[in-house]
mmCIF file of all heavy atoms in Angstrom:
data_model
loop_
_atom_site.group_PDB
_atom_site.id
_atom_site.type_symbol
_atom_site.label_atom_id
_atom_site.label_comp_id
_atom_site.label_asym_id
_atom_site.label_seq_id
_atom_site.Cartn_x
_atom_site.Cartn_y
_atom_site.Cartn_z
ATOM 1 N N HIS M 13 60.205 134.622 81.409
ATOM 2 C CA HIS M 13 59.588 134.731 82.728
ATOM 3 C C HIS M 13 58.184 135.355 82.630
ATOM 4 O O HIS M 13 57.263 134.896 83.243
ATOM 5 C CB HIS M 13 60.481 135.517 83.661
ATOM 6 C CG HIS M 13 61.836 134.889 83.895
ATOM 7 N ND1 HIS M 13 62.080 133.987 84.826
ATOM 8 C CD2 HIS M 13 62.946 135.085 83.245
ATOM 9 C CE1 HIS M 13 63.298 133.536 84.755
ATOM 10 N NE2 HIS M 13 63.921 134.201 83.769
ATOM 11 N N ARG M 16 55.837 132.814 80.997
ATOM 12 C CA ARG M 16 55.440 131.720 81.955
ATOM 13 C C ARG M 16 54.433 132.266 82.982
ATOM 14 O O ARG M 16 53.429 131.571 83.258
ATOM 15 C CB ARG M 16 56.737 131.233 82.684
ATOM 16 C CG ARG M 16 56.471 130.131 83.599
ATOM 17 C CD ARG M 16 57.704 129.564 84.226
ATOM 18 N NE ARG M 16 58.483 130.577 84.886
ATOM 19 C CZ ARG M 16 59.800 130.580 85.073
ATOM 20 N NH1 ARG M 16 60.492 129.614 84.600
ATOM 21 N NH2 ARG M 16 60.375 131.523 85.717
ATOM 22 N N TYR M 17 54.712 133.387 83.526
ATOM 23 C CA TYR M 17 53.773 133.977 84.481
ATOM 24 C C TYR M 17 52.442 134.270 83.899
ATOM 25 O O TYR M 17 51.337 133.896 84.420
ATOM 26 C CB TYR M 17 54.369 135.219 85.096
ATOM 27 C CG TYR M 17 53.535 135.844 86.216
ATOM 28 C CD1 TYR M 17 53.119 135.118 87.305
ATOM 29 C CD2 TYR M 17 53.218 137.229 86.162
ATOM 30 C CE1 TYR M 17 52.344 135.655 88.338
ATOM 31 C CE2 TYR M 17 52.437 137.814 87.113
ATOM 32 C CZ TYR M 17 52.035 137.082 88.200
ATOM 33 O OH TYR M 17 51.244 137.608 89.256
ATOM 34 N N ALA M 18 52.445 134.818 82.715
ATOM 35 C CA ALA M 18 51.147 135.160 81.993
ATOM 36 C C ALA M 18 50.355 133.920 81.675
ATOM 37 O O ALA M 18 49.132 133.876 81.888
ATOM 38 C CB ALA M 18 51.447 135.961 80.740
ATOM 39 N N ARG M 19 51.046 132.878 81.253
ATOM 40 C CA ARG M 19 50.334 131.612 80.947
ATOM 41 C C ARG M 19 49.796 130.978 82.191
ATOM 42 O O ARG M 19 48.616 130.399 82.199
ATOM 43 C CB ARG M 19 51.271 130.630 80.197
ATOM 44 C CG ARG M 19 51.437 131.054 78.751
ATOM 45 C CD ARG M 19 52.192 130.113 77.893
ATOM 46 N NE ARG M 19 52.284 130.646 76.635
ATOM 47 C CZ ARG M 19 52.836 130.004 75.548
ATOM 48 N NH1 ARG M 19 53.304 128.810 75.755
ATOM 49 N NH2 ARG M 19 52.873 130.586 74.429
ATOM 50 N N ALA M 20 50.470 131.113 83.298
ATOM 51 C CA ALA M 20 50.022 130.534 84.582
ATOM 52 C C ALA M 20 48.823 131.377 85.063
ATOM 53 O O ALA M 20 47.907 130.807 85.600
ATOM 54 C CB ALA M 20 51.105 130.552 85.579
ATOM 55 N N LEU M 21 48.850 132.677 84.847
ATOM 56 C CA LEU M 21 47.748 133.540 85.343
ATOM 57 C C LEU M 21 46.478 133.252 84.517
ATOM 58 O O LEU M 21 45.389 133.160 85.060
ATOM 59 C CB LEU M 21 48.118 134.991 85.162
ATOM 60 C CG LEU M 21 48.773 135.695 86.333
ATOM 61 C CD1 LEU M 21 49.109 137.149 85.959
ATOM 62 C CD2 LEU M 21 48.014 135.602 87.617
ATOM 63 N N ARG M 52 62.790 143.070 86.802
ATOM 64 C CA ARG M 52 61.945 141.900 86.789
ATOM 65 C C ARG M 52 60.658 142.171 87.572
ATOM 66 O O ARG M 52 59.542 141.915 87.112
ATOM 67 C CB ARG M 52 62.695 140.722 87.411
ATOM 68 C CG ARG M 52 61.835 139.467 87.449
ATOM 69 C CD ARG M 52 62.619 138.366 88.134
ATOM 70 N NE ARG M 52 61.952 137.110 88.220
ATOM 71 C CZ ARG M 52 62.315 136.059 88.883
ATOM 72 N NH1 ARG M 52 63.402 136.167 89.648
ATOM 73 N NH2 ARG M 52 61.629 134.978 88.965
ATOM 74 N N VAL M 114 50.090 135.092 94.274
ATOM 75 C CA VAL M 114 51.219 135.032 95.214
ATOM 76 C C VAL M 114 51.915 133.655 95.100
ATOM 77 O O VAL M 114 53.173 133.600 95.110
ATOM 78 C CB VAL M 114 50.793 135.371 96.659
ATOM 79 C CG1 VAL M 114 50.131 134.229 97.402
ATOM 80 C CG2 VAL M 114 51.998 135.889 97.464
ATOM 81 N N LEU M 115 51.200 132.600 94.909
ATOM 82 C CA LEU M 115 51.755 131.285 94.748
ATOM 83 C C LEU M 115 52.633 131.211 93.470
ATOM 84 O O LEU M 115 53.758 130.734 93.555
ATOM 85 C CB LEU M 115 50.706 130.214 94.707
ATOM 86 C CG LEU M 115 51.223 128.749 94.681
ATOM 87 C CD1 LEU M 115 52.004 128.415 95.904
ATOM 88 C CD2 LEU M 115 50.096 127.850 94.525
ATOM 89 N N LEU M 116 52.107 131.808 92.416
ATOM 90 C CA LEU M 116 52.891 131.813 91.152
ATOM 91 C C LEU M 116 54.167 132.674 91.216
ATOM 92 O O LEU M 116 55.182 132.256 90.743
ATOM 93 C CB LEU M 116 52.006 132.354 90.004
ATOM 94 C CG LEU M 116 50.825 131.380 89.599
ATOM 95 C CD1 LEU M 116 49.929 132.113 88.623
ATOM 96 C CD2 LEU M 116 51.361 130.082 88.968
ATOM 97 N N LEU M 117 54.030 133.786 91.869
ATOM 98 C CA LEU M 117 55.203 134.698 91.983
ATOM 99 C C LEU M 117 56.271 134.088 92.829
ATOM 100 O O LEU M 117 57.497 134.190 92.506
ATOM 101 C CB LEU M 117 54.761 136.098 92.588
ATOM 102 C CG LEU M 117 54.013 136.962 91.635
ATOM 103 C CD1 LEU M 117 53.411 138.187 92.389
ATOM 104 C CD2 LEU M 117 54.764 137.418 90.455
ATOM 105 N N VAL M 118 55.882 133.477 93.956
ATOM 106 C CA VAL M 118 56.913 132.917 94.892
ATOM 107 C C VAL M 118 57.418 131.501 94.437
ATOM 108 O O VAL M 118 58.657 131.285 94.326
ATOM 109 C CB VAL M 118 56.361 132.905 96.319
ATOM 110 C CG1 VAL M 118 57.314 132.147 97.278
ATOM 111 C CG2 VAL M 118 56.109 134.273 96.839
ATOM 112 N N ALA M 119 56.477 130.663 94.100
ATOM 113 C CA ALA M 119 56.839 129.308 93.830
ATOM 114 C C ALA M 119 57.338 129.128 92.377
ATOM 115 O O ALA M 119 58.301 128.436 92.132
ATOM 116 C CB ALA M 119 55.699 128.367 94.072
ATOM 117 N N LEU M 120 56.687 129.759 91.415
ATOM 118 C CA LEU M 120 57.045 129.547 90.036
ATOM 119 C C LEU M 120 58.148 130.559 89.620
ATOM 120 O O LEU M 120 59.145 130.146 88.982
ATOM 121 C CB LEU M 120 55.820 129.751 89.153
ATOM 122 C CG LEU M 120 56.029 129.559 87.670
ATOM 123 C CD1 LEU M 120 56.335 128.110 87.360
ATOM 124 C CD2 LEU M 120 54.786 130.012 86.904
ATOM 125 N N GLU M 121 57.948 131.817 89.914
ATOM 126 C CA GLU M 121 58.911 132.818 89.476
ATOM 127 C C GLU M 121 60.107 133.009 90.391
ATOM 128 O O GLU M 121 61.078 133.650 90.111
ATOM 129 C CB GLU M 121 58.238 134.160 89.313
ATOM 130 C CG GLU M 121 57.261 134.194 88.142
ATOM 131 C CD GLU M 121 57.950 133.900 86.823
ATOM 132 O OE1 GLU M 121 59.066 134.233 86.606
ATOM 133 O OE2 GLU M 121 57.255 133.144 86.017
ATOM 134 N N GLY M 122 59.976 132.456 91.645
ATOM 135 C CA GLY M 122 61.098 132.474 92.591
ATOM 136 C C GLY M 122 61.427 133.810 93.206
ATOM 137 O O GLY M 122 62.466 134.092 93.694
ATOM 138 N N LEU M 123 60.377 134.670 93.265
ATOM 139 C CA LEU M 123 60.503 135.978 93.918
ATOM 140 C C LEU M 123 60.565 135.771 95.443
ATOM 141 O O LEU M 123 59.886 134.877 96.005
ATOM 142 C CB LEU M 123 59.368 136.911 93.564
ATOM 143 C CG LEU M 123 59.527 137.815 92.338
ATOM 144 C CD1 LEU M 123 59.769 137.027 91.068
ATOM 145 C CD2 LEU M 123 58.335 138.754 92.179
ATOM 146 N N ILE M 175 56.008 122.462 94.919
ATOM 147 C CA ILE M 175 55.530 123.699 94.421
ATOM 148 C C ILE M 175 55.472 124.742 95.511
ATOM 149 O O ILE M 175 55.838 125.897 95.277
ATOM 150 C CB ILE M 175 54.095 123.524 93.844
ATOM 151 C CG1 ILE M 175 54.218 122.680 92.540
ATOM 152 C CG2 ILE M 175 53.487 124.881 93.533
ATOM 153 C CD1 ILE M 175 52.851 122.349 91.982
#
Side-chain angles (χ1 to χ4, degrees):
H13 298 273
R16 182 176 57 208
Y17 182 54
R19 287 187 179 184
L21 272 179
R52 179 182 182 194
V114 79
L115 184 64
L116 292 171
L117 289 171
V118 173
L120 182 67
E121 292 302 323
L123 269 60
I175 291 173

